[in-house]
Each structure stands twice: as structure tokens, then as C-alpha cells.
């Protein structure tokens, strides 16, 4: 039985029985909600991901399926993989100008247009998925996100998370800070700015181009997400060393973008369905990454991949540089400055609690 039928039978049906005192669940569930529109919508959704890409790409596909099921086919969304309608890094622009009603990507991909966007995505040595979700949905972050995107005609929603990533794949050993000098690495967002400050060179490219660039030496290193996706891209066949932890991205939050003008044409029940589906995918994708990353890492180690931890000296230097980069990026843009001030204060409160709760349990258990 589909989700909408289960909800109708369990919710609407039970309510009818209680009020009417008779068993008319099926009859009640079959009736459309009072005031609901029967109008149907056919939308396009562009993404930053290759077709059927594990994790993030599958999560975007899951979103379209959920909306179709919960709306009883009243809102159908045709998904376009990266490059099918627009390039991977132009999803935000496509939604903003109305080329597609929806998009799915990573906010830091459009930091050149919206500098504050990356603060809703990933911060080096920043919040993990649990902390980011708390800030967005309970700490005022989502309202700030909507405020930042509104001038572009885009409504954002959190729609997926990776959890803690890895530091990436390298074709040279990282034994000290000096090894970052001249390093050509694919890494986006504020983490990329830290790499530049360390003496490296950032090369930004979509997933489909990474393997070839690493294999041919066009780049010396790359990070994508973690073992699950890295294995799917075959990165272990193009680089020798796999470093942890993912200092540059303790989490990446992905976004669902909706063209505001298109959004305003939807009746309230379809808007509610879109929001519910986004929240579902936001949680489900994180569960998927937690489970699949574990499995993929076990397999990679079994195949002889050399997994190393970055030296403490390197991590300490990266942390200092990261603080400087984040503060400078916030100071350079009024919207980013406002977002970072509120986010930083809220994250400190979360950290203070985690210090005596989450962290202590991990240490004791470990």
C-alpha cells in the first residue's frame, strides 16, 4: 500500500470512525480533502549529479517519487541529471530564471553569486549533520536561508546530508604543512579557500570529471564525499593515499531549490507535500551515507587501500587557517556576516551541550 493510502486509512479513517461512530474508513479516505484542488502540475528538476549516482543522486530521485506518491500524481517532477538540461554547477541559475521549477545541488557551488550560500552547506571544522539540522530547523537557520535566496527568486530547503566526510585522495604523501605547497586539488567551498591559503591550487569540477583528472595528473588530489561515493567513482584506482578526517566538510547539507513564482502556484496541500518529502530525504540520505560509508570503507581496506590520518601538526594548522577564512568570508558580504554571527552563536551552544553529552559518551564507549 502506498504511503498516501496508509496515511489516509490510519488518520482520516480513524478520525471519521471516532466522530461518526461507524466503520466508514474506506469511504472517508476516498473523499478528497475539503477545499483541495484537483489541478495537476508537471515540473522539471535539474540536479548537480550524474544519473543514478549513489547517495545524493538517488536521494534526489527519491524526492520526486515521494512527491508523486503523496500527491496522488497531482505533482509530477521530471528529473534531469547533470548536463542533461543544464551543467552541474548551474542548477541555482536555472531555477532562479525559471528554466526549471526545481533543482537539487550543494549550496557552495554558487558561492560566486551568493557568498552566504556556503554557510548553509559546509564549514571547515564546522557543524556535523546533526548540528546543522538543529540550527536550520530549530535555530532560525532556515529563515535566514530563505531571506538570503529571496532576491534571486529561489526558495531553499534542506534535502540531504553526507555526515562527516574524508579528507580525500592524494597521489603524494602529506607528512607536513609544506606538502600543501603547489598541491592541485579538487575541493569546493570554504575548504578550497583554506587550501589556497596553505599554498595549494583549487580546481573545481563536477563528479563526472574527477576520476580522469586525478588519473591523468591534471590534479594531485581530490575529495568528493566519502567511501561510498568515492568507491563508485573509482577514485581508489586513481590515487594511492586516502586521508581522514574530513576537516573541510564535517558535513555537507544539500538543498532543494524551488522557483518562488512556481511555488506560489501550488495549492497549500502540495506545498506541504514538497516540504515533507524534502525533510524525509534529508534524514534518509544521511542514514544511507552512514550505512554505506561504513561498508565501502571496509571493502576499500580489504582491497589494500592505504587509509591514513592527517598528522596532528597539519590538522592544527588547517584549523587556524580555517578560522581566518571563515571569518574573512563572512566579513566580506553583509548577508554572510549576518548569517555567520547567528550561526556561530547557536553552534557554540550546541557544542557546549555536546561536550558533556555526545562527546563524553563517544569517549567512554571508545
Amino acid at each position: 500500500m502506498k504511503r498516501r493510502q496508509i496515511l489516509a486509512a490510519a488518520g482520516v479513517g480513524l478520525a471519521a470512525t471516532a466522530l461518526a461512530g461507524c466503520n466508514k474508513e474506506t469511504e472517508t479516505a476516498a473523499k478528497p480533502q475539503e477545499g483541495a484542488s484537483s489541478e495537476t502540475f508537471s515540473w522539471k528538476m535539474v540536479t548537480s549529479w550524474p544519473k543514478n549516482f549513489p547517495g545524493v543522486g538517488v536521494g534526489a530521485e527519491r524526492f520526486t517519487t515521494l512527491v508523486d506518491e503523496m500527491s496522488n500524481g497531482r505533482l509530477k517532477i521530471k528529473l534531469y541529471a547533470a548536463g542533461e538540461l543544464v551543467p552541474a554547477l548551474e542548477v541555482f541559475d536555472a531555477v532562479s530564471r525559471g528554466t526549471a521549477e526545481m533543482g537539487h545541488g550543494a549550496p557552495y557551488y554558487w558561492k560566486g553569486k551568493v557568498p552566504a550560500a556556503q554557510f548553509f552547506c559546509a564549514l571547515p571544522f564546522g557543524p556535523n549533520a546533526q548540528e546543522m539540522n538543529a540550527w536550520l530547523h530549530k535555530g532560525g537557520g532556515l529563515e535566514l536561508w530563505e531571506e538570503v535566496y529571496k532576491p534571486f527568486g529561489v526558495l531553499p530547503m534542506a534535502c540531504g546530508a553526507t555526515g562527516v566526510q574524508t579528507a580525500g585522495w592524494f597521489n603524494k604523501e602529506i607528512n607536513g604543512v609544506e606538502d600543501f605547497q603547489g598541491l592541485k586539488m579538487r575541493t569546493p567551498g570554504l575548504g578550497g579557500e583554506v587550501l589556497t591559503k596553505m599554498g595549494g591550487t583549487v580546481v573545481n569540477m563536477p563528479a563526472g570529471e574527477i576520476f580522469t583528472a586525478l588519473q591523468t595528473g591534471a590534479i594531485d588530489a581530490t575529495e568528493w564525499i566519502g567511501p561510498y561515493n568515492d568507491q563508485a567513482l573509482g577514485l581508489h584506482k586513481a590515487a594511492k593515499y586516502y586521508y581522514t578526517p574530513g576537516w573541510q566538510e564535517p558535513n555537507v547539507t544539500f538543498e532543494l531549490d524551488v522557483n518562488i513564482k512556481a511555488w506560489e502556484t501550488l495549492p497549500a496541500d502540495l506545498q506541504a507535500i514538497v516540504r515533507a518529502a524534502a525533510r524525509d530525504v534529508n534524514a534518509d540520505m544521511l542514514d544511507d551515507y552512514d550505512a554505506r560509508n561504513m561498508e565501502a570503507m571496509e571493502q576499500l581496506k580489504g582491497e589494500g587501500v592505504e587509509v591514513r590520518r592527517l598528522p596532528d601538526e597539519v590538522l592544527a594548522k588547517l584549523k587556524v587557517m580555517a578560522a581566518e577564512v571563515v571569518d574573512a568570508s563572512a566579513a566580506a558580504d553583509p548577508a554572510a556576516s549576518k548569517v555567520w554571527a547567528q550561526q556561530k552563536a547557536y553552534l557554540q551552544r550546541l557544542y557546549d551541550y555536546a561536550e558533556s553529552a555526545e562527546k563524553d559518551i563517544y569517549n567512554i564507549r571508545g
Side-chain angles (χ1 to χ4, degrees), residues 46-64:
V46 292
T47 78
S48 297
W49 326 118
K51 193 172 185 64
N52 301 318
F53 193 71
V56 62
V58 172
E61 293 166 12
R62 173 181 168 80
F63 169 82
T64 65

Side-chain angles (χ1 to χ4, degrees), residues 35-223:
S37 169
S38 60
E39 186 179 2
T40 60
F41 299 82
S42 296
W43 281 13
K44 296 186 289 292
M45 178 176 173
V46 292
T47 78
S48 297
W49 326 118
K51 193 172 185 64
N52 301 318
F53 193 71
V56 62
V58 172
E61 293 166 12
R62 173 181 168 80
F63 169 82
T64 65
T65 300
L66 284 173
V67 170
D68 181 48
E69 290 183 352
M70 291 193 289
S71 70
N72 198 22
R74 288 169 50 221
L75 177 53
K76 289 191 173 295
I77 304 167
K78 181 174 175 56
L79 186 145
Y80 293 87
E84 289 186 337
L85 191 62
V86 300
L89 305 183
E90 294 182 16
V91 166
F92 182 86
D93 286 337
V95 176
S96 179
R97 63 176 177 257
T99 301
E101 291 85 359
M102 284 182 166
H104 192 269
Y108 53 28
Y109 287 164
W110 17 98
K111 68 173 186 175
K113 181 179 288 290
V114 194
Q118 53 200 335
F119 287 84
F120 302 100
C121 184
L123 298 177
F125 297 97
N128 62 17
Q130 184 175 336
E131 291 168 324
M132 181 66 90
N133 281 328
W135 174 63
L136 286 174
H137 298 121
K138 301 296 180 181
L142 185 58
E143 289 78 7
L144 284 172
W145 203 357
E146 292 177 358
E147 179 183 316
V148 169
Y149 278 23
K150 188 174 182 180
F152 300 92
V154 175
L155 178 70
M157 301 176 199
C159 193
T162 65
V164 181
Q165 300 197 7
T166 52
W169 297 88
F170 294 73
N171 272 320
K172 57 182 290 188
E173 294 184 78
I174 303 296
N175 295 313
V177 173
E178 65 279 0
D179 291 319
F180 283 88
Q181 288 293 324
L183 184 77
K184 292 179 295 182
M185 183 171 182
R186 182 270 171 202
T187 184
L190 291 167
E193 294 184 32
V194 175
L195 179 70
T196 301
K197 201 173 178 67
M198 293 281 285
T201 300
V202 172
V203 182
N204 204 3
M205 61 182 66
E209 301 175 14
I210 296 175
F211 176 84
T212 301
L214 189 61
Q215 187 181 50
T216 61
I219 55 176
D220 304 310
T222 184
E223 61 81 24

